[in-house]
Amino acid sequence: MLKTEINELLTETGPGTPMGDVFRSYWIPALLASELPEDGCPPVRVKLLSERLIAFRDSDGRYGLIDEFCAHRGVSLWFGRNEEGGLRCSYHGWKFDVTGQCIDVPSEPEESSFCEKVKLTGYPLVQIGDVLWTYMGPPETRPALPEWEFAQVPSEQTFTSKRWQESNWLQALEGGIDSSHVSWLHSGGLKSDPLFKGAEGNKYNMGDMKPYFEVAEAEGGLFIGARRNAEEGHYYWRITPWVLPSFTMVPPRGDHPVHGHFWIPIDDENCWVFTFDYHPVRALSEVELQAMRDGHGVHNEYVPGTFRPLQNKDNDYLMDRESQASGENYSGVKGIAMQDASLQESMGPIVDRSKERLVSTDTGIIKARQKLRKAAEALRDRGEIPPGVDPAHHRVRSAAIVLPSDDDFIDAAKDSLKVNPGVRQTSV
Ligand code: FES
Ligand SMILES: [Fe+2]
């Protein structure tokens, strides 16, 4: 349970809020690279951390993320014309480059330097892997570029999608570090999903419905270990890294690609879920890619032309009571991603954490909240750089591993939890 003011501290990420400043310390996913497919293509509206922005790729291939609204009289630059070297407002023709600098005010005399004094807020936008990343903090504390393995492997080894989730970012993240719901909510998917089924480890998930949680500190966040009984004298460990503020990786299953998420606030009541799947040492197969595009695994189907899931709160997520009754889908909702999203959105846009009752399987969530609170207060009060900003903190992996029962999970799995280029993930 959390006091209301702590809940607010952790969930509010608009400009000037402590958690908003934490998010503004990192390079965060802003949009998919495929949303700006070529030089001079149409601009895209992007709302992040409660700021309304426009992403565009100019005629020279430079990316920028600038204030959505024209400096003249506030027209949305989404209506703008992407012309030579900048985005021109459709109302009176003021033109802005990728940094937000005004470069032309056609009504003013050419010799006037008026436009030099006009600049919109602008943030850098950089492509790494399938994602365009932005940094929304002060330029003087801009960190080195991120080094997440999923975005650094060759392009044929990785796939990223995004979906709109109609809830605060924190309750979405909390689902990502809560390994105990897998045996319940996702039990149907373990048997049938093409990106989950067939792994040796699945039998342990289903054979022990009372996982024991141990949480270990990491430089960038936590390693959350969920322990289940395996063969005599052994435990099956599923280890989830969480790196501040909102990177999580699901422990792998067999040789399936490894997946994970970034939960990025759109505003306080909505978030983007960036979902990646990659294999550290091999290309994704055409069958796997097709399954991802079709919304299997941790991906989803869409309302055509949008990033809104096809199953959403307006259609009760296409809940199927028959498949709920038969156990085909434990909750009656199809697909891992929408099973999570439906329940997390059902909590309301910002869940009231003063009313919850936490139990031992919530240890990871409790520790993550403590770390987030500490990071927000240390940055606010002492200007301390939060964990997870240093790219060294990004080089983590999840793991699924069977260990002798007296082994300490974090020691025994140490090498498996680090990025090791050319070496496959540790998985059963
Ligand atoms: S409002 Fe944009 S140019 Fe006038
Ligand atoms: Fe889940």
Side-chain angles (χ1 to χ4, degrees), residues 175 181 185-186 336 340:
H181 75 275
L185 178 61
H186 303 316
I336 308 278
D340 286 324

Side-chain angles (χ1 to χ4, degrees), residues 9-10 18-19 22 371-381:
L9 176 85
L10 298 184
M19 191 51 64
V22 170
K371 266 192 119 76
L372 284 167
R373 179 180 171 187
K374 218 171 126 192
E377 292 174 345
L379 177 64
R380 182 193 62 196
D381 301 338

Side-chain angles (χ1 to χ4, degrees), residues 158-179:
T158 188
F159 176 87
T160 306
S161 68
K162 81 171 193 187
R163 64 176 166 83
W164 168 27
Q165 177 157 331
E166 296 174 66
S167 82
N168 182 261
W169 75 280
L170 185 60
Q171 67 213 50
L173 164 72
E174 289 176 350
I177 54 177
D178 164 26
S179 197

Side-chain angles (χ1 to χ4, degrees), residues 70-75 77 89-94 96:
C70 180
H72 179 209
R73 279 169 43 213
V75 159
L77 292 168
C89 179
S90 288
Y91 212 7
H92 316 92
W94 291 26
F96 302 89

Side-chain angles (χ1 to χ4, degrees), residues 159-414:
F159 176 87
T160 306
S161 68
K162 81 171 193 187
R163 64 176 166 83
W164 168 27
Q165 177 157 331
E166 296 174 66
S167 82
N168 182 261
W169 75 280
L170 185 60
Q171 67 213 50
L173 164 72
E174 289 176 350
I177 54 177
D178 164 26
S179 197
S180 75
H181 75 275
V182 176
S183 304
W184 310 96
L185 178 61
H186 303 316
S187 51
L190 290 189
K191 288 179 229 141
S192 62
D193 191 284
L195 296 164
F196 279 66
K197 67 180 182 187
E200 184 70 14
N202 294 358
K203 68 178 184 212
Y204 305 122
N205 261 100
M206 299 316 298
D208 182 354
M209 307 293 264
K210 288 193 194 304
Y212 171 79
F213 277 75
E214 259 182 57
V215 180
E217 289 287 326
E219 279 189 293
L222 298 170
F223 285 113
I224 298 154
R227 188 188 85 188
R228 290 177 173 85
N229 292 322
E231 285 73 22
E232 188 65 37
H234 289 78
Y235 289 128
Y236 169 65
W237 286 93
R238 293 183 60 74
I239 308 171
T240 302
W242 165 62
V243 181
L244 273 79
S246 63
F247 171 89
T248 60
M249 249 176 100
V250 180
R253 293 185 186 278
D255 193 47
H256 289 306
V258 197
H259 37 257
H261 301 96
F262 265 103
W263 322 88
I264 301 296
I266 295 173
D267 53 30
D268 294 343
E269 300 194 345
N270 297 275
C271 63
W272 288 123
V273 184
F274 286 85
T275 300
F276 59 83
D277 241 302
Y278 77 106
H279 199 290
V281 298
R282 66 160 172 86
L284 305 181
S285 71
E286 203 33 60
V287 173
E288 287 167 340
L289 282 167
Q290 197 53 49
M292 293 168 197
R293 289 187 208 111
D294 290 344
H296 292 293
V298 284
H299 304 277
N300 61 282
E301 296 174 272
Y302 297 95
V303 174
T306 76
F307 289 103
R308 190 178 200 209
L310 185 63
Q311 302 155 261
N312 56 58
K313 66 181 184 189
D314 293 342
N315 56 29
D316 279 330
Y317 308 89
L318 306 175
M319 149 77 85
D320 176 350
R321 292 285 177 195
E322 268 175 44
S323 94
Q324 184 186 53
S326 73
E328 186 194 341
N329 283 313
Y330 187 76
S331 77
V333 170
K334 193 181 107 192
I336 308 278
M338 297 321 298
Q339 287 160 5
D340 286 324
S342 56
L343 301 191
Q344 291 159 12
E345 291 180 1
S346 79
M347 298 155 94
I350 306 178
V351 68
D352 181 353
R353 292 181 174 77
S354 71
K355 293 199 177 121
E356 62 191 9
R357 290 182 178 80
L358 299 182
V359 292
S360 63
T361 55
D362 297 312
T363 312
I365 290 172
I366 294 167
K367 289 243 162 100
R369 290 177 187 174
Q370 286 167 347
K371 266 192 119 76
L372 284 167
R373 179 180 171 187
K374 218 171 126 192
E377 292 174 345
L379 177 64
R380 182 193 62 196
D381 301 338
R382 298 186 295 282
E384 270 174 36
I385 296 173
V389 169
D390 182 344
H393 299 173
H394 304 170
R395 298 184 208 119
V396 291
R397 281 185 182 170
S398 58
I401 187 169
V402 175
L403 295 171
S405 46
D406 41 18
D407 275 10
D408 175 72
F409 87 99
I410 205 74
D411 269 355
K414 180 164 81 240

